[in-house]
């Protein structure tokens, strides 16, 4: 296409005998439409470590200065779209629309949608501590009981101390005779 700008076109009708030629100028102003970029889909975690710049996650080269809308009413603070946190937002898929208003009403506004899948952060629970007297009997412990009640299930246990204890069943770890 033609670059944005002002273009002049002269129309001339040749004169006849005693009448001079007549001219008229058609001036055309070509405006560029706004560019909101291209829609995109991303995934983030709701653990506070995922602070994102919304505009940088659209595809293409969107114009700056547009406005963001929270299409699904998540309550995410869009006051600074360069630094948006999804901490505490429930897991799910949400749409945010970026709209760039046309400088000239002859061109339509442009918009693109950023679809964000928010994943629930894993929760290993809070650290726990206990002192147990190893009297050589009835020292079978449930390691999971040393975590907070809200810990997710399905995690893996590792013997960081290299004790050699069998932790294949973390709900029944036998400390009998361990020194």
């Amino acid at each position: 296409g033609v670059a944005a700008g002002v273009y002049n076109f002269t129309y001339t009708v040749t004169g006849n005998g005693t009448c001079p030629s007549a001219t008229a100028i058609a001036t055309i102003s070509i405006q560029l439409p706004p560019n909101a970029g291209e829609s995109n889909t991303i995934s983030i975690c709701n653990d506070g470590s995922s602070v994102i710049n919304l505009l940088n996650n659209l595809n293409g080269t969107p114009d700056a200065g547009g406005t963001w809308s929270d299409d699904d009413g998540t309550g995410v603070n869009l006051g600074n779209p360069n630094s948006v946190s999804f901490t505490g937002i429930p897991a799910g898929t949400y749409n945010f629309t970026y709209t760039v208003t046309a400088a000239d009403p002859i061109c339509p506004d442009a918009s693109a949608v950023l679809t964000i899948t928010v994943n629930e952060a894993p929760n290993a629970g809070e650290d726990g501590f206990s002192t147990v007297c190893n009297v050589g009997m009835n020292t079978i412990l449930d390691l999971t009981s040393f975590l907070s009640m809200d810990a997710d299930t399905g995690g893996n246990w590792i013997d960081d101390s290299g004790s050699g204890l069998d932790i294949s069943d973390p709900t029944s770890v036998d400390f009998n005779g361990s020194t």
Side-chain angles (χ1 to χ4, degrees), residues 154-158 167:
N156 296 310
W157 287 90
I158 296 173
I167 60 172

Side-chain angles (χ1 to χ4, degrees), residues 25-157:
I25 299 174
T27 301
I28 308 295
S29 175
I30 302 295
Q31 301 293 315
L32 288 179
N35 180 357
E38 298 169 20
S39 296
N40 192 21
T41 300
I42 63 169
S43 293
I44 62 168
C45 186
N46 67 354
D47 66 353
S49 66
S50 297
V51 175
I52 64 169
N53 180 321
L54 296 178
L55 194 62
N56 288 349
N57 282 284
L58 289 173
N59 289 326
T61 53
D63 296 338
T67 57
W68 284 95
S69 63
D70 180 353
D71 302 344
D72 299 306
T74 65
V76 168
N77 182 353
L78 298 175
N80 179 3
N82 297 324
S83 181
V84 178
S85 172
F86 286 80
T87 301
I89 299 300
T93 300
Y94 305 102
N95 293 312
F96 297 86
T97 300
Y98 182 63
T99 302
V100 180
T101 303
D104 190 306
I106 196 74
C107 291
D109 295 345
S111 62
V113 176
L114 181 60
T115 300
I116 300 176
T117 299
V118 177
N119 296 307
E120 191 70 38
N123 179 5
E126 299 296 322
D127 294 346
F129 177 82
S130 182
T131 301
V132 177
C133 180
N134 187 352
V135 294
M137 55 187 238
N138 296 325
T139 317
I140 296 175
L141 299 176
D142 177 356
L143 295 180
T144 63
S145 70
F146 294 97
L147 303 175
S148 57
M149 297 297 290
D150 62 346
D152 293 341
T153 60
N156 296 310
W157 287 90

